[in-house]
Amino acid sequence: DGDLDLFVVSARYYLSDNAYFSVGSSSGDGTISNVSFDSTGLSVGAGAVLLGRVNYKNGSGQEIRVGLNYSDTEVSTATTTSDSTSTNVSGGYTTGLGDGFTASASVSADSDGTSVGGSVTKHIANGVLVGLSYGVSDSDLDGADTAETSTIGVGLGYSF
């Protein structure tokens, strides 16, 4: 078992009603088997938007996103540093629930594993959004080892 505390800043920009661009940065620290480590990451992605767009302010509409995401992650311990990159295929579905609420489901996969997640977001006022998310993933590591993770997230966002 292990523990990771991670701070993530991410954004999705809609280039048009049919295309998006995303970027993210993460930083944190954790412990696995009594070994402490630091982690930093950067990701960029782009893709297509299908079915229309969600209005996050009033909680209406629906959209499907399909795209590619590239990430670069560095993990450092007291004695070593490891850098890994990956490109995954991702898909997501978001629907408005009314009264400023939206719900999302997502899946992504690369040659080493898959992840799935879900979230609920609420528009508070003046474009400010708050949200909760949960995700699970499994990854193949070097050799025959695998890693299974689950995450709980609390988010703050802004909708233009």
Side-chain angles (χ1 to χ4, degrees), residues 2 17 20 23 25 47-48 60 70 86 91 93 111 120 134 138 147 157:
D17 283 345
Y20 72 90
V23 62
S25 177
S60 64
Y70 171 82
S86 67
Y93 174 75
S111 60
V120 175
Y134 180 76
D138 89 41

Side-chain angles (χ1 to χ4, degrees), residues 55-59 100 102 121-131 155-160:
N55 183 321
Y56 288 91
K57 292 180 181 177
N58 65 22
T102 56
T121 303
K122 169 67 172 140
H123 174 253
I124 301 300
N126 300 320
V128 176
L129 308 169
V130 295
L156 181 64
Y158 187 80
S159 178
F160 293 95

Side-chain angles (χ1 to χ4, degrees), residues 11-38:
R12 182 184 316 129
Y13 177 74
Y14 290 89
L15 303 167
S16 70
D17 283 345
N18 301 315
Y20 72 90
F21 173 78
S22 63
V23 62
S25 177
S26 64
S27 179
D29 56 54
T31 305
I32 295 177
S33 299
N34 295 323
V35 176
S36 296
F37 63 92
D38 294 320

Side-chain angles (χ1 to χ4, degrees), residues 106-109 113-118 133-139 147-153:
S106 63
V107 62
S108 66
T114 59
S115 64
V116 296
S133 64
Y134 180 76
V136 295
S137 66
D138 89 41
S139 302
E148 297 175 356
T149 60
S150 61
T151 58
I152 297 172

